[in-house]
Amino acid sequence: MNDRPVITSAMARSYKHGFITPIPSDTIQPGLDEKVIQWLSAKKQEPDFMLEWRLAAYWHWLGMTEPSWSSVRYPPIDYQAIRYYSAPRSANPNAVALKDVDPALLATYEKLGIPLDERLTLAGVAVDAVFDSVSVATTHQKKLAEMGILFCSMSEAIRNHGALVRRYLGSVVPPGDNFFAALNAAVFSDGSFCYIPPGVRCPMELSTYFRINAAGTGQFERTLIIADEYSQVSYLEGCSAPQRDRHQLHAAVVELIALEGAEIRYSTVQNWYPGDAEGRGGIYNFVTKRGECRGDHSHISWTQVETGSAITWKYPSVILRGAGSSGRFHSVALTNHHQQADTGTKMIHIGADTRSTILSKGISAGHGHNAYRGLVKVLAGATGARNHSQCDSLLLGEHGSAHTYPYIEVKNRTAQVEHEATTSRIDEDQLFYCRQRGLSNEEAVSLIVNGFCQEVLSELPMEFSVEARKLLAVSLEGSVG
Amino acid sequence: MNILELRNLHVTVMNKPILNGVDLSLKAGELHALMGPNGSGKSTLANVLAGRPECRVTAGQMLYRERDLWPISPEERAREGIFLGFQNPVEIPGVSNLRLLKEAYNAQRRHHRQPELDAVAFRAHLRDRTAQLGLPEEWLLRPVNAGFSGGEKKRNELLQLMLLEPRLAILDEIDSGLDIDALTLVAEGINALRSTERSMLLITHYPRLLDQVPPDRVHVLMGGRVMLSGGMELARKLEQQGYGWLEEMVT
């Protein structure tokens, strides 16, 4: 017997979703030019306006340089070495029933704990399953459609709900917003689309599960959520990828639009492959997420639990345009081994009496690098704006680092902005107390870290907060000597 | 059999000698009181028995049920039945009492190869004990010791003691900061836990607890050694005369 299975199983202990689905796929050659974009747009049977939109973004991107202001470090990315499209050959863009979906794909999601059979799904959760570059199934569409809720893959939305897409796509994150957003606009292959009509409270949690499977590909998905006047929706995203010793790029864009009186809650449990203990492999998670409270008294909240990825680089933000609108950002970012995170939020107060709350919990173990970066900007018209920010960092061990970069710009005298920050090491007295009660060192650390994150975890829908707790425990493995 | 036997125990904390040859033995079912002036090493003794990493044994022996404790990890000592009631229990924000209690209880069950209790069974198991201590059930959902008064923290320690049913309980000033009513509750709790199977070491400054929980023996720790041992009359004499006369006796 060789020793390979032993090594694999030792690695799999910490990353349970690292398997590969052996499935024939259509994958294009590496590289990016206009032809690739034309091919992609044609493959997806897109209307002309989309191709023009993509090409404009591509030309813009060509003139941009990759940003270097963040605190994360990685070798240069060769954008011509990436494959911009890979889809299971069996993926059926016209699949309406689950029986039309390849059983191998269904089995993959089942193994990830996301059964797509509607009889088996978590009660009250509808799922859009994205596999590499395409959506392979969306559950509960029929039931939602009865209420006028549109929930489908982005590709389907472009084909069937062109007017809505045309009106809102890029209206919060314009194609030229930043380097990665421009790249995404040019090459995005799928993602989820959701529209809640006026006055409707979405009866289920909507969710997307992103799975990267193919090697050497990038995943560029785009999510667009529109909550029309006085509607409500709660949305979740989860993700995972196989264990590979090469880095893979995931550059997504998420746009949220809340019209008057609408409420959007967006939760992320991010579990991309983080790389191994020496920092080999793992996903570069470079994502632009932004919501706009476009109408008065609208509300957007971001809750994220970031435990995966070699590098996490993103700032889910809220533009508070409507009067009396409010935004929240709740975040847990855990970096272990050689993981890096530079994450936080931007709260842009434009309307009067706008409110924002920021609660960030960073945990740095091993050689992890963890930075909170946030901007609170109050424009001249935002009379009576208020913000409260709290950023706490917890260090485990001697080699990790924690940084806080808060930026505050206030142009209105009536605004109130508060910022609190703490950095602490894990408390030896707490550890000893737990061990004296019979918990191992590892169990004690996990319990204390869970407590540290409690306020954020309690924002997640029930089933997902259980999942997030488990994930935190697993991600801390090997962090204590 | 001696549950605990200390022979010429020397302990340093951050290289500073604190215990300088402690001899003490405790039989099954006995309750001993340990008294002594501030800084005499009482808490260090409690901590070294529980395995606090800063406490280093430099000479002598500490035997628990005839096993050398020194190489054993704090968690294993706990699972084997050593319980320390802390003088200043720490706060653990965001972790509910219920969660810590359940994890502690199940860690012990696993250690003894017993099936773990699930959330429902565990809660039922706890209910009697919280009632006995006059603790409301919502108490269980509060974060461990966060925002608790001194008295509440001590009652929480006692709740853990009742749940974990240790073989050796070391209670470090469980009576400090308690009003008379709370003291009576704590004393009743301790008395209820006395059994031929369990030994206890009560660290205290005041005989008022010992009036309600009569000890089998009273020891006085001074300068890192047991200076004198006796019965309840020793505790009373210390209350009336302080430790001065002992110091004179030594010099």
Side-chain angles (χ1 to χ4, degrees):
Chain A
M1 203 177 112
N2 65 29
D3 59 1
R4 229 192 140 85
V6 179
I7 294 166
T8 318
S9 74
M11 282 170 73
R13 190 176 60 109
S14 3
Y15 191 71
K16 293 191 177 68
H17 297 159
F19 64 90
I20 297 167
T21 306
I23 195 165
S25 58
D26 282 329
T27 304
I28 56 169
Q29 288 305 307
L32 180 59
D33 55 23
E34 283 181 28
K35 282 204 186 93
V36 168
I37 294 168
Q38 279 159 351
W39 177 86
L40 183 70
S41 189
K43 172 104 187 159
K44 305 191 85 63
Q45 303 159 25
E46 290 180 348
D48 290 344
F49 83 88
M50 268 318 301
L51 176 61
E52 284 159 21
W53 198 81
R54 287 175 180 280
L55 287 172
Y58 173 67
W59 293 324
H60 196 100
W61 179 74
L62 287 177
M64 296 174 96
T65 39
E66 200 169 327
S68 57
W69 46 261
S70 93
S71 62
V72 301
R73 295 287 168 264
Y74 56 94
I77 296 172
D78 180 357
Y79 292 92
Q80 294 304 333
I82 295 174
R83 296 170 192 271
Y84 287 84
Y85 185 86
S86 175
R89 201 160 294 158
S90 57
N92 177 356
N94 301 312
V96 276
L98 223 51
K99 63 177 167 49
D100 304 325
V101 178
D102 184 345
L105 291 170
L106 296 181
T108 298
Y109 284 90
E110 184 116 23
K111 201 165 165 186
L112 294 168
I114 322 282
L116 297 176
D117 184 330
E118 291 184 7
R119 289 163 305 181
L120 301 177
T121 52
L122 280 170
V125 183
V127 184
D128 182 27
V130 176
F131 193 92
D132 289 330
S133 300
V134 293
S135 165
V136 293
T138 309
T139 67
H140 297 287
Q141 277 181 307
K142 232 180 183 170
K143 189 176 167 192
L144 294 166
E146 286 165 14
M147 303 184 74
I149 296 168
L150 305 176
F151 179 48
C152 61
S153 71
M154 199 66 199
S155 307
E156 192 183 326
I158 289 169
R159 287 196 304 270
N160 301 340
H161 311 292
L164 277 172
V165 172
R166 207 166 174 169
R167 181 159 171 204
Y168 290 106
L169 188 72
S171 72
V172 185
V173 180
D177 186 80
N178 67 65
F179 184 83
F180 296 105
L183 178 62
N184 174 287
V187 302
F188 81 87
S189 50
D190 218 335
S192 301
F193 172 83
C194 163
Y195 170 79
I196 317 288
V200 171
R201 184 189 197 126
C202 185
M204 335 181 76
E205 305 275 352
L206 302 185
S207 73
T208 306
Y209 194 92
F210 296 102
R211 175 71 178 171
I212 294 178
N213 188 62
T217 59
Q219 193 179 50
F220 305 91
E221 89 276 351
R222 197 152 182 124
T223 295
L224 176 60
I225 300 175
I226 304 143
D228 213 324
E229 294 181 357
Y230 299 96
S231 67
Q232 281 181 25
V233 62
S234 170
Y235 190 92
L236 308 152
E237 70 174 346
C239 37
S240 62
Q243 282 172 221
R244 291 209 173 85
D245 56 8
R246 301 282 288 272
H247 296 287
Q248 275 176 287
L249 177 63
H250 168 87
V253 171
V254 176
E255 294 177 278
L256 312 181
I257 295 129
L259 301 182
E260 187 177 320
E263 184 180 331
I264 302 175
R265 286 177 58 189
Y266 192 105
S267 311
T268 304
V269 177
Q270 189 263 104
N271 185 27
W272 292 118
Y273 177 52
D276 66 13
E278 273 73 50
R280 280 185 299 257
I283 301 290
Y284 291 157
N285 187 32
F286 299 169
V287 172
T288 306
K289 287 180 165 171
R290 196 175 303 156
E292 182 171 324
C293 286
R294 204 163 280 179
D296 293 351
H297 304 288
S298 53
H299 176 77
I300 288 176
S301 75
W302 298 100
T303 302
Q304 60 173 21
V305 175
E306 306 282 326
T307 59
S309 297
I311 303 178
T312 295
W313 187 8
K314 62 171 189 166
Y315 312 96
S317 304
V318 185
I319 298 169
L320 298 153
R321 190 178 297 280
S325 62
S326 58
R328 293 204 292 178
F329 172 75
H330 288 120
S331 170
V332 168
L334 184 151
T335 51
N336 193 4
H337 302 306
H338 291 270
Q339 283 176 278
Q340 307 174 56
D342 193 317
T343 183
T345 185
K346 289 187 274 186
M347 292 290 175
I348 314 295
H349 293 256
I350 299 173
D353 299 315
T354 44
R355 305 263 183 280
S356 63
T357 311
I358 296 169
L359 178 61
S360 161
K361 303 277 183 177
I363 302 130
S364 203
H367 290 82
H369 166 89
N370 210 313
Y372 167 83
R373 188 185 303 273
L375 168 68
V376 176
K377 190 169 183 173
V378 179
L379 275 67
T383 301
R386 280 193 193 180
N387 161 269
H388 181 83
S389 303
Q390 168 92 41
C391 302
D392 299 322
S393 304
L394 185 65
L395 289 164
L396 309 180
E398 304 298 317
H399 306 293
S401 65
H403 310 266
T404 306
Y405 307 102
Y407 304 87
I408 298 173
E409 288 174 37
V410 179
K411 302 248 165 63
N412 185 305
R413 286 165 155 265
T414 63
Q416 290 179 30
V417 177
E418 296 165 13
H419 179 87
E420 293 175 46
T422 65
T423 301
S424 51
R425 290 202 171 275
I426 195 155
D427 187 311
E428 293 294 332
D429 286 339
Q430 289 177 344
L431 276 180
F432 180 61
Y433 189 80
C434 294
R435 293 178 73 189
Q436 211 302 303
R437 296 302 181 247
L439 277 64
S440 68
N441 207 14
E442 208 154 85
E443 289 164 340
V445 167
S446 171
L447 187 76
I448 294 164
V449 167
N450 255 296
F452 175 74
C453 304
Q454 170 59 23
E455 287 165 273
V456 174
L457 298 179
S458 65
E459 289 290 318
L460 290 171
M462 188 64 169
E463 300 83 357
F464 291 81
S465 87
V466 172
E467 193 58 39
R469 274 175 210 289
K470 284 188 202 149
L471 210 49
L472 281 176
V474 170
S475 306
L476 282 167
E477 274 177 17
S479 68
V480 283
Chain B
M1 180 177 78
N2 281 335
I3 289 292
L4 181 68
E5 189 167 345
L6 307 180
R7 294 181 194 151
N8 189 32
L9 186 68
H10 286 68
V11 173
T12 61
V13 178
M14 319 255 277
N15 292 324
K16 196 179 154 204
I18 305 289
L19 298 181
N20 305 303
V22 172
D23 291 293
L24 189 85
S25 56
L26 198 57
K27 289 192 169 48
E30 285 185 342
L31 185 148
H32 290 198
L34 185 67
M35 305 181 78
N38 290 332
S40 57
K42 301 188 297 295
S43 288
T44 299
L45 181 60
N47 280 313
V48 76
L49 290 174
R52 190 184 275 274
E54 302 91 283
C55 302
R56 283 199 49 194
V57 174
T58 51
Q61 272 191 309
M62 47 180 186
L63 302 175
Y64 169 67
R65 302 174 70 217
E66 294 170 351
R67 228 175 123 191
D68 183 10
L69 269 185
W70 179 236
I72 302 174
S73 72
E75 53 269 37
E76 197 183 335
R77 294 185 201 190
R79 294 171 197 159
E80 282 288 322
I82 296 181
F83 179 92
L84 171 60
F86 287 80
Q87 186 179 349
N88 298 307
V90 291
E91 302 186 1
I92 311 180
V95 175
S96 72
N97 264 317
L98 185 65
R99 182 120 192 262
L100 175 66
L101 290 170
K102 182 163 166 268
E103 293 222 7
Y105 188 72
N106 281 332
Q108 197 176 35
R109 305 263 302 180
R110 278 198 300 276
H111 183 70
H112 294 291
R113 295 175 205 289
Q114 293 163 324
E116 297 182 31
L117 291 193
D118 65 20
V120 177
F122 181 71
R123 230 158 143 177
H125 182 74
L126 255 186
R127 201 162 288 140
D128 310 339
R129 287 162 178 79
T130 48
Q132 202 177 335
L133 282 171
L135 299 173
E137 253 204 279
E138 58 91 23
W139 170 282
L140 293 173
L141 302 177
R142 287 170 60 180
V144 179
N145 294 321
F148 284 22
S149 70
E152 286 175 321
K153 286 184 183 174
K154 295 301 168 69
R155 273 196 278 170
N156 205 24
E157 293 296 288
L158 202 61
L159 174 62
Q160 298 181 11
L161 169 64
M162 291 169 97
L163 176 75
L164 297 172
E165 301 182 318
R167 227 181 268 268
L168 171 64
I170 305 146
L171 303 179
D172 192 359
E173 298 193 19
I174 191 93
D175 53 341
S176 68
L178 296 185
D179 61 28
I180 298 292
D181 292 341
L183 183 73
T184 303
L185 269 174
V186 165
E188 280 170 4
I190 296 173
N191 282 326
L193 285 162
R194 286 182 83 158
S195 88
T196 51
E197 299 289 301
R198 183 168 300 124
S199 309
M200 298 201 212
L201 186 62
L202 243 56
I203 297 173
T204 181
H205 278 293
Y206 310 104
R208 61 174 191 168
L209 175 65
L210 304 180
D211 284 335
Q212 297 190 49
V213 186
D216 296 303
R217 204 134 173 84
V218 176
H219 307 281
V220 182
L221 196 66
M222 282 181 81
R225 305 170 72 160
V226 175
M227 237 355 123
L228 199 62
S229 299
M232 199 47 205
E233 76 290 344
L234 180 56
R236 281 198 210 298
K237 186 166 182 187
L238 291 170
E239 188 184 28
Q240 283 154 13
Q241 302 182 12
Y243 295 99
W245 60 278
L246 265 172
E247 271 160 31
E248 279 162 28
M249 219 173 78
V250 177
T251 49

